C-alpha cells in the first residue's frame, strides 16, 4: 500500500508548527493527585499493585487493565505494543497472545520483557521487568475460553502480525471466525499461549504537581524483595 501526494516546504513548516503548538498546549495532571508514602508500602510489590489497580478503577481510570509490553527482536531492537493484563498473582503478571505473532516469536528467542502501566487520572505508573515463561496448554485454553465471544473470534482469525492483502480479506475471515466462535465456544486455537512475566524489578511512580515525584522500586533479592527510592 502506497500513499501519493507531497507537501511543499512551506506546507511542511506550517504543519510542523501547528503540531508543535498543539503539543506544547497539552498539560499533565491538571487534577488533584493522591499522596503516596513509600514507608507505608508493603514488603512485596504484588499487594501494592492490587491496591493501586483498585484505586485506579475507583478513580474512573479508563481501561486500567491495558499495559505496554516491550520485547526485543532477533537483532536486539526494542519493540512495544499495548495489550490487556489477564492476571497478576504470585507467579507474576499474565498476558496472552499467539505464539506465532511477532511478540510470540520474539519471546521464544529472547524470553524477557518489560511491562508499563499508566494511570494518568492519578498520575501513576507501574513498571515490571523480568523473564517470561509460558503456562501450560490447559491454562492457556482456559484463559481463552474464559473471555468473550469477540476475544475468541479474534483469536480464531489468526495470522496476527502477518501482511494483510486487503480489508475485504479481513472482513471475510473475521465473519467466519465470529460464526465459529458463536457456534463453538470451546473451540481450540492452535498456538494461543498465556505468558507470565516473572518480576525481577517492579517500580511504582507517583506523580507530584511540584515535580517531586515518588519512585519506589522493588528489586528481587533471592526469595525476598529489596525496596529502594529513586531520584525522579
Amino acid at each position: 500500500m502506497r500513499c501519493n501526494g507531497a507537501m511543499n516546504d512551506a506546507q511542511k513548516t506550517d504543519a510542523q508548527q501547528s503540531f508543535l503548538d498543539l503539543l506544547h498546549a497539552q498539560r499533565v495532571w491538571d487534577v488533584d493527585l493522591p499522596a503516596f508514602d513509600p514507608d507505608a508500602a508493603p514488603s512485596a510489590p504484588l499487594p501494592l499493585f492490587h491496591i493501586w489497580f483498585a484505586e485506579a478503577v475507583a478513580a474512573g481510570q479508563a481501561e486500567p487493565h491495558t499495559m505496554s509490553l516491550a520485547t526485543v527482536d532477533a537483532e536486539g531492537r526494542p519493540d512495544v505494543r499495548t495489550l490487556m493484563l489477564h492476571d497478576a498473582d504470585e507467579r507474576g503478571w499474565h498476558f496472552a497472545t499467539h505464539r506465532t505473532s511477532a511478540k510470540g516469536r520474539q519471546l521464544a528467542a529472547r524470553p524477557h520483557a518489560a511491562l508499563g502501566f499508566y494511570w494518568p487520572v492519578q498520575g501513576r505508573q507501574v513498571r515490571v521487568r523480568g523473564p517470561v515463561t509460558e503456562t501450560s496448554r490447559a491454562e492457556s485454553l482456559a484463559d481463552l475460553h474464559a473471555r468473550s465471544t469477540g476475544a475468541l473470534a479474534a483469536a480464531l482469525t489468526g495470522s496476527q502480525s502477518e501482511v494483510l492483502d486487503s480489508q475485504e480479506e479481513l472482513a471475510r475471515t473475521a465473519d467466519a471466525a465470529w460464526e465459529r466462535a458463536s457456534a463453538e465456544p470451546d473451540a481450540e486455537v492452535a498456538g494461543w499461549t498465556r505468558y507470565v512475566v516473572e518480576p525481577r524489578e517492579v517500580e511504582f511512580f507517583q506523580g507530584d504537581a511540584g515535580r517531586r515525584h515518588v519512585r519506589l522500586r522493588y528489586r528481587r533479592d533471592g526469595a525476598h524483595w529489596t525496596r529502594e527510592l529513586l531520584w525522579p
Side-chain angles (χ1 to χ4, degrees):
M1 181 181 296
R2 295 183 178 180
C3 297
N4 296 321
M7 296 187 293
N8 60 38
D9 291 342
Q11 289 174 320
K12 290 179 181 178
T13 300
D14 290 344
Q16 182 63 29
Q17 189 58 55
S18 295
F19 168 74
L20 287 175
D21 290 343
L22 182 62
L23 177 64
H24 295 160
Q26 305 311 304
R27 293 295 176 261
V28 177
W29 304 329
D30 285 339
V31 296
D32 292 330
L33 299 177
F36 173 47
D37 179 6
D39 291 334
S43 59
L46 183 63
L48 183 56
F49 180 82
H50 286 167
I51 292 170
W52 274 28
F53 184 86
E55 290 177 351
V57 173
Q61 176 62 58
E63 300 182 352
H65 59 316
T66 58
M67 61 186 184
S68 298
L69 167 69
T71 55
V72 294
D73 65 15
E75 286 74 39
R77 297 173 300 190
D79 201 355
V80 68
R81 73 288 287 166
T82 301
L83 70 171
M84 288 191 296
L85 177 70
H86 287 210
D87 198 359
D89 60 16
E90 293 298 336
R91 290 180 293 170
W93 277 250
H94 301 230
F95 65 93
T97 188
H98 291 278
R99 188 183 290 109
T100 54
S101 67
K103 53 187 172 293
R105 295 193 302 270
Q106 290 166 4
L107 288 170
R110 300 191 177 201
H112 287 78
L115 305 175
F117 296 85
Y118 180 43
W119 300 320
V121 72
Q122 293 187 300
R124 287 176 169 174
Q125 301 178 51
V126 181
R127 300 168 59 210
V128 182
R129 300 175 67 199
V132 179
T133 60
E134 297 182 9
T135 66
S136 67
R137 177 65 176 160
E139 187 171 359
S140 293
L141 289 178
D143 170 271
L144 179 62
H145 295 145
R147 302 176 67 202
S148 67
T149 301
L152 176 58
L156 287 166
T157 300
S159 302
Q160 190 178 65
S161 304
E162 299 299 325
V163 174
L164 175 66
D165 290 334
S166 68
Q167 288 297 112
E168 290 75 18
E169 181 184 12
L170 173 61
R172 289 193 301 270
T173 305
D175 286 346
W178 269 94
E179 289 182 9
R180 185 180 176 195
S182 299
E184 301 177 45
D186 294 329
E188 293 195 13
V189 179
W192 183 260
T193 304
R194 181 158 168 160
Y195 296 88
V196 182
V197 179
E198 300 177 354
R200 294 296 180 267
E201 293 183 6
V202 183
E203 180 190 327
F204 294 83
F205 173 102
Q206 174 62 68
D208 177 79
R211 298 303 190 263
R212 298 179 181 180
H213 312 310
V214 180
R215 294 178 62 188
L216 175 64
R217 179 172 66 189
Y218 290 81
R219 187 165 43 82
R220 187 180 288 279
D221 184 10
H224 305 284
W225 289 96
T226 296
R227 300 188 311 172
E228 46 202 8
L229 292 175
L230 303 178
W231 282 89

